[in-house]
Amino acid sequence: MFNLIWDLDGTLIDSQKEVLENIRLAISDAGLEEHDMIRPFRVGPTIDKILKTSFTEERLADGKLQTAIAAFRNRYDNSSFSYTGSYEGIDKIIMDARFIHYIVTNKPDTPSKKIIEKLGWNQYVKRLVTPYTFGPEKKTKPELFSMLMDEEQLDKKITVGIGDMEGDCSAAEQSNIRTIGVLWGTGTESELAHCSYICRTVSELSELLETLCIK
């Protein structure tokens, strides 16, 4: 059996349309305007980081940041996730009995669980790890990887981390496991250059995992 520790957004699922729609509604709730943005929204980081990257500190002052975050959480957590689905070919890997699947995500517990259930993956994902899985204090991705590895007693030789952003792979690297950067999400090839492997398509990932299993 081979252990796969997946990122969620941009790696297993295409959630961009759903997230962006709820962010736009949330900033309107907070009295913010899209024409005031200094950078486009980039799905992947936590909602606070997305907003802080897209608006100046001045625009987010007077409680607008907190209002937008709360509005997003309320809207997104109660979403039907009708625009969210797995990338083509991912289901086949998830259902492959040769792999034990774990998910480590920055997405909070409620929407993560709803999405896994909607996709019918409950029986295939051994453990879903979110920022508050290990207690009331929010954990970083490197911390989540380390704690998961310890609790599950995962063999580093047969464990890989898979993600679409630099932070996903660097978190896995800090636990001294190999990493696979995927290019169908948000991250760029240059951002993922330090990964052990890079896959441009799900087919490439499937072929790579076949090779790793043989080794």
Side-chain angles (χ1 to χ4, degrees):
M1 302 288 279
F2 207 86
N3 304 310
L4 305 182
I5 305 179
W6 299 88
D7 169 52
L8 187 58
D9 295 87
T11 303
L12 289 172
I13 63 170
D14 182 0
S15 58
Q16 182 161 289
K17 183 176 181 179
E18 197 103 42
V19 171
L20 289 176
E21 178 176 307
N22 282 279
I23 291 178
R24 292 188 178 106
L25 291 170
I27 64 171
S28 178
D29 292 340
L32 294 165
E33 301 286 346
E34 283 193 60
H35 61 71
D36 291 327
M37 291 168 54
I38 55 174
R39 293 183 187 86
F41 296 127
R42 189 185 191 195
V43 175
T46 55
I47 182 60
D48 59 322
K49 290 182 179 178
I50 293 174
L51 293 171
K52 288 177 181 178
T53 301
S54 298
F55 291 97
T56 64
E57 186 176 346
E58 180 183 10
R59 288 292 180 187
L60 295 174
D62 301 322
K64 289 183 179 179
L65 173 61
Q66 290 74 22
T67 300
I69 291 172
F72 174 78
R73 285 282 163 242
N74 180 60
R75 288 180 176 280
Y76 191 67
D77 288 2
N78 291 289
S79 171
S80 64
F81 302 102
S82 57
Y83 298 127
T84 298
S86 61
Y87 289 100
E88 185 175 356
I90 286 293
D91 274 349
K92 185 177 180 180
I93 299 175
I94 290 292
M95 295 176 186
D96 192 323
R98 292 174 298 174
F99 305 122
I100 301 176
H101 301 284
Y102 302 87
I103 296 175
V104 175
T105 178
N106 285 322
K107 191 188 291 293
D109 199 63
T110 296
S112 297
K113 285 184 175 180
K114 286 184 176 180
I115 290 169
I116 298 306
E117 184 175 356
K118 172 182 179 287
L119 295 173
W121 289 353
N122 283 337
Q123 63 180 310
Y124 302 107
V125 176
K126 183 175 181 182
R127 193 163 183 187
L128 170 66
V129 176
T130 69
Y132 297 99
T133 294
F134 298 105
E137 184 179 339
K138 185 178 182 179
K139 303 295 190 299
T140 64
K141 263 208 171 178
E143 290 173 328
L144 296 176
F145 263 87
S146 177
M147 297 172 89
L148 172 65
M149 295 284 295
D150 288 344
E151 285 204 358
E152 295 291 328
Q153 297 183 323
L154 300 182
D155 184 343
K156 295 177 182 179
K157 293 179 181 179
I158 55 170
T159 303
V160 295
I162 309 172
D164 71 306
M165 298 191 72
E166 191 279 333
D168 304 324
C169 292
S170 63
E173 288 168 349
Q174 290 181 51
S175 285
N176 298 311
I177 60 175
R178 287 174 291 175
T179 57
I180 303 174
V182 301
L183 295 178
W184 53 81
T186 302
T188 65
E189 189 164 3
S190 62
E191 291 171 335
L192 299 171
H194 60 91
C195 294
S196 307
Y197 313 93
I198 291 180
C199 294
R200 289 165 178 76
T201 66
V202 176
S203 294
E204 282 187 19
L205 174 61
S206 182
E207 291 172 6
L208 173 60
L209 293 176
E210 288 278 350
T211 301
L212 293 177
C213 278
I214 293 172
K215 290 181 179 179

